[in-house]
């Protein structure tokens, strides 16, 4: 991949140069006063980005899967019941984690590209004695945006803890953790949060922390135990150093910069920009005659597009797009993997990235023999962007 290629996959994504400079700066001691204040500020900012003023933030070295594991390991005990609202690949992973930690798992499923029916989820919650329910905010394997506000509120009505996997959504899709009553919002650094891979992040409600405090059995993983990390997060936020395991110093510095940029943009403005970008891409897909994997625009994510290859075109398209200077991703959902591809549009995306990507896809499709009027997709993007100003 050339340094000038545009990385338009659903994570990692393009990062802001100021964030990358923070990552490449001289590594500080993890107990140095400047690092203590940087880490403390990052924690406070994470709370603001998740719109969760009462939540406890956790930032731990690891990927998004570790964030999922932290939620599961701390919130369930063997024999307790967990409901997984399953929209695809990463919901399957959540179910696997629950089983690994000894929970009894029930899943509400739907066909790929669809979202589960909230009324059905509510019926299952009503009959289930569940400790926790999970949903994937944006399922990266299908490009589907789950109705998380309704799901979280349904869990709340039944006294069930809610965990939302925001790895492909946080700071890109609208989410009001505290107002909606979500107990855990978990995420990773490498997508809409705008920091290279390597951090697992969670914001945990007081109710979820109480549930963890009243466990009868110890958390089975040492590295994932809130009990080890809570004193560390509290100490750094209070301006003191504390040690359990070495923090990813440079990534935390980069995170502090990125979260600052995100808050300067403003959460609502940032969500709106991701919607505008997604709508511009959708105009292009329509002009190119490409069908999206989500069954309707109302359930389609604003952080990525999942698109079926048109008739006569296969995964070789991705190589052709790469020759045009843009990197896209293949399919991931096990049932449909070879039939679709994905375009990530998170973090520092604007008109320039949309036009470059759509232009590259248009040329690559033409080279693959797909018939579309030259320039029609780019014109559709321009029309959408001008209308949205
Ligand atoms: N959940 C979702 C929705 C994801 O998109 C991903 C990563 N693509 C994960 C969890 C796992 O994150 P990681 O690959 O960073 O472990």
């Amino acid at each position: 991949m050339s340094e000038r290629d545009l990385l338009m996959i659903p994570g990692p994504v393009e990062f802001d140069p100021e964030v990358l400079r923070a990552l490449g700066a001289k590594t500080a001691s993890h107990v140095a006063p400047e690092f203590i204040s940087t880490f403390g500020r990052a924690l406070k900012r994470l709370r603001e980005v998740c719109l969760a003023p009462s939540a406890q933030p956790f930032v731990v070295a690891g990927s998004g899967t570790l964030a999922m594991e932290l939620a599961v390991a701390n919130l369930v005990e063997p024999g307790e019941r967990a409901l997984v609202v399953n929209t695809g690949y990463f919901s399957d992973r959540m179910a696997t984690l629950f089983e690994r930690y000894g929970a009894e798992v029930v899943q509400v499923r739907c066909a790929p590209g669809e979202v589960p029916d909230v009324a059905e989820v509510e019926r299952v919650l009503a009959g289930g004695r569940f400790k926790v329910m999970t949903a994937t905010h944006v399922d990266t394997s299908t490009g589907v945006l789950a109705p998380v506000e309704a799901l979280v509120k349904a869990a709340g009505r039944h006294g069930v803890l809610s965990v939302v996997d925001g790895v492909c959504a946080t700071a890109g899709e609208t989410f009001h953790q505290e107002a909606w009553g979500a107990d855990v919002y978990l995420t990773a650094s490498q997508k809409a949060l705008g920091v290279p891979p390597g951090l697992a992040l969670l914001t945990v409600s007081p109710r979820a922390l109480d549930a963890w405090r009243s466990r009868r059995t110890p958390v089975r993983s040492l590295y994932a135990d809130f009990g080890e990390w809570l004193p560390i997060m509290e100490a750094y936020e209070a301006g003191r150093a504390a040690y359990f395991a070495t923090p990813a110093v440079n990534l935390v510095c980069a995170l502090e910069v990125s979260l600052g940029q995100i808050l300067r943009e403003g959460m609502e403005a940032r969500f709106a920009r991701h919607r505008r970008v997604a709508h511009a891409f959708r105009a292009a897909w329509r002009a190119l005659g490409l069908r999206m994997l989500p069954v309707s625009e109302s359930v389609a994510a604003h952080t990525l597009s999942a698109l079926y290859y048109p008739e006569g075109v296969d995964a070789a398209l991705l190589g052709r797009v790469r020759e045009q200077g843009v990197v896209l991703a293949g399919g991931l959902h096990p049932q449909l993997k070879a039939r679709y591809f994905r375009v990530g549009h998170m973090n520092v995306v604007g008109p320039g990235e949309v036009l470059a990507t759509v232009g590259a896809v248009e040329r690559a499709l033409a080279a693959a023999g797909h018939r579309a009027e030259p320039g029609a997709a780019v014109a559709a993007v321009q029309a959408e962007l001008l209308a949205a100003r």
Side-chain angles (χ1 to χ4, degrees), residues 63-65 68 90 93 136 138 140 165 167-168 188 190-191:
S63 77
T65 304
M68 298 166 80
F90 291 102
R93 179 170 295 183
T136 310
V138 167
T140 325
D165 171 350
V167 174
C168 198
Q190 72 269 24
K191 305 198 192 203

Side-chain angles (χ1 to χ4, degrees), residues 220-236:
R220 284 185 180 183
S221 157
L222 179 76
Y223 190 72
D225 190 348
F226 282 169
E228 302 294 345
W229 290 111
L230 183 59
I232 310 303
M233 301 300 138
E234 287 175 338
Y236 275 95

Side-chain angles (χ1 to χ4, degrees), residues 29-386:
S29 156
H30 60 292
V31 298
E34 323 78 270
F35 179 68
I36 295 171
S37 38
T38 299
F39 200 168
R41 258 194 317 277
L43 293 167
K44 287 189 176 64
R45 287 177 180 176
L46 180 62
R47 209 184 262 119
E48 287 179 53
V49 163
C50 296
L51 298 156
S54 318
Q56 173 61 51
F58 291 87
V59 175
V60 176
S63 77
T65 304
L66 177 72
M68 298 166 80
E69 186 144 358
L70 275 152
V72 169
N74 287 281
L75 293 187
V76 291
E77 297 187 58
E80 288 181 336
R81 283 164 61 81
L83 175 61
V84 174
V85 178
N86 192 317
T87 42
Y89 186 91
F90 291 102
S91 314
D92 289 345
R93 179 170 295 183
M94 198 58 114
T96 304
L97 271 165
F98 276 124
E99 276 160 10
R100 191 65 71 87
Y101 281 88
E104 217 181 284
V105 182
V106 174
Q107 301 201 57
V108 176
R109 295 174 178 280
C110 56
E114 291 183 7
V115 291
D117 178 26
V118 178
E120 189 194 342
V121 172
E122 182 125 29
R123 271 195 300 281
V124 176
L125 281 167
R129 301 184 334 278
F130 292 102
K131 170 88 170 286
V132 56
M133 179 204 81
T134 68
T136 310
H137 194 174
V138 167
D139 195 287
T140 325
S141 68
T142 56
V144 158
L145 173 68
V148 283
E149 179 179 3
L151 289 167
V152 157
K153 288 181 174 170
R157 281 194 290 279
H158 296 279
V160 175
L161 295 169
S162 55
V163 172
V164 178
D165 171 350
V167 174
C168 198
T170 308
E173 296 283 1
T174 302
F175 193 75
H176 295 248
Q177 182 173 352
E178 193 144 325
W180 295 356
D183 289 295
V184 176
Y185 198 35
L186 67 90
T187 193
S189 50
Q190 72 269 24
K191 305 198 192 203
L193 276 184
V195 180
L199 291 177
L201 311 95
L202 301 91
T203 39
V204 179
S205 74
R207 193 165 75 123
L209 280 183
D210 286 345
W212 161 73
R213 282 196 187 93
S214 38
R215 291 176 65 98
R216 289 153 309 186
T217 58
V219 172
R220 284 185 180 183
S221 157
L222 179 76
Y223 190 72
D225 190 348
F226 282 169
E228 302 294 345
W229 290 111
L230 183 59
I232 310 303
M233 301 300 138
E234 287 175 338
Y236 275 95
E237 219 182 327
R240 287 180 280 108
Y243 173 75
F244 163 56
T246 309
V249 172
N250 290 53
L251 281 167
V252 169
C253 294
L255 175 72
E256 190 259 351
V257 171
S258 188
L259 294 177
Q261 292 178 346
I262 291 169
L263 291 170
R264 270 197 302 283
E265 180 174 15
M267 297 318 298
E268 296 308 323
R270 189 172 174 89
F271 299 146
R273 176 169 58 81
H274 281 80
R275 281 196 299 275
R276 271 199 311 280
V277 161
H279 293 155
F281 271 118
R282 287 178 202 173
W285 310 144
R286 278 192 298 273
L288 288 167
L290 297 180
R291 185 160 69 91
M292 301 210 302
L293 197 149
V295 291
S296 70
E297 291 216 2
S298 63
V299 299
H302 303 101
T303 49
L304 81 152
S305 297
L307 302 151
Y308 288 106
Y309 294 114
E311 193 68 34
V313 174
D314 60 18
L317 178 74
L318 302 182
R320 294 183 189 276
V321 179
R322 180 174 289 216
E323 283 164 16
Q324 303 292 327
V326 177
V327 182
L328 305 180
L332 183 61
H333 195 290
Q335 281 171 35
L336 299 168
K337 225 176 153 112
R339 291 181 45 202
Y340 75 104
F341 66 104
R342 295 171 303 150
V343 181
H345 28 89
M346 285 170 263
N347 194 35
V348 286
V349 282
E353 288 76 16
V354 182
L355 285 164
T357 304
V358 167
V361 171
E362 196 170 49
R363 291 190 299 279
L365 279 171
H370 177 68
R371 282 225 306 274
E373 195 192 324
V378 170
V381 168
Q382 291 288 48
E384 185 71 32
L385 291 172
L386 286 165

